[in-house]
Amino acid sequence: MRKPRWSHGRVRPSVAGMTAQQTNRELVQRVFARMAAGDTRALTEAMADDVAWTFPGDWLWSGTWSPKTVVLRELLRPLLAQFTDYRMTADLVLADGDRVVVQARGHGTTVRGDAYEQTYCLILRLADGLITEIVEHCDTALVERTLVRP
């Protein structure tokens, strides 16, 4: 039996002969498939209790929310309350070790009736089948013009 090849010490065998990298990629693809169908709970259900969500940079929404209870209470619930409907579709999902990068598009309508067509690059870190970190890059001008910071 051949020993598994290690890539930078991060990729190791996982379930059914898949690497952790492949498992992480498939988990994220399943989450985004549910979100594309309008199930916004898919992402929160995949988050670890100690998840950290970061908007990097120097703009109105810059900051980090953590742990999961804070992410839900202070970021996601107030944010999603600003929409009558919202879906996010992944266009590209790439994995490298414990990180998965998603290029995505958001589609929604705000409670004020404004269309919300967003582009994203999300960098996710996973451990033990759960998302432990989210770094979200998006159209910051659209966010500041359309939404109210929670």
Side-chain angles (χ1 to χ4, degrees):
M1 180 174 194
R2 288 175 34 149
K3 289 187 177 183
R5 289 183 57 201
W6 300 93
S7 173
H8 306 294
R10 296 179 299 187
V11 179
R12 53 185 148 66
S14 187
V15 263
M18 292 175 53
T19 63
Q21 177 174 300
Q22 291 167 320
T23 303
N24 290 342
R25 184 174 184 271
E26 287 190 6
L27 180 142
V28 171
Q29 286 175 315
R30 285 192 306 275
V31 166
F32 275 84
R34 287 177 57 194
M35 291 177 61
D39 183 359
T40 55
R41 292 178 319 224
L43 187 59
T44 59
E45 290 171 2
M47 289 180 196
D49 289 340
D50 62 344
V51 68
W53 191 308
T54 300
F55 289 104
D58 184 18
W59 61 294
L60 184 61
W61 288 49
S62 295
T64 299
W65 288 260
S66 185
K68 185 176 182 176
T69 55
V70 171
V71 170
L72 294 175
R73 182 181 65 244
E74 296 180 16
L75 177 64
L76 293 182
R77 286 185 191 127
L79 176 61
L80 290 174
Q82 297 181 58
F83 292 94
T84 58
D85 64 281
Y86 183 79
R87 297 175 189 276
M88 186 183 285
T89 305
D91 295 321
L92 179 66
V93 179
L94 303 172
D96 183 15
D98 65 348
R99 297 192 191 232
V100 178
V101 177
V102 181
Q103 180 181 345
R105 290 173 288 132
H107 313 279
T109 306
T110 69
V111 293
R112 292 185 312 279
D114 298 322
Y116 190 79
E117 298 295 321
Q118 182 60 277
T119 57
Y120 300 96
C121 179
L122 301 163
I123 303 167
L124 312 174
R125 178 176 281 181
L126 290 90
D128 301 320
L130 294 171
I131 299 167
T132 60
E133 181 182 17
I134 300 171
V135 178
E136 179 179 330
H137 299 272
C138 61
D139 179 348
T140 58
L142 174 65
V143 173
E144 290 181 335
R145 184 174 64 247
T146 311
L147 302 175
V148 175
R149 187 181 196 275

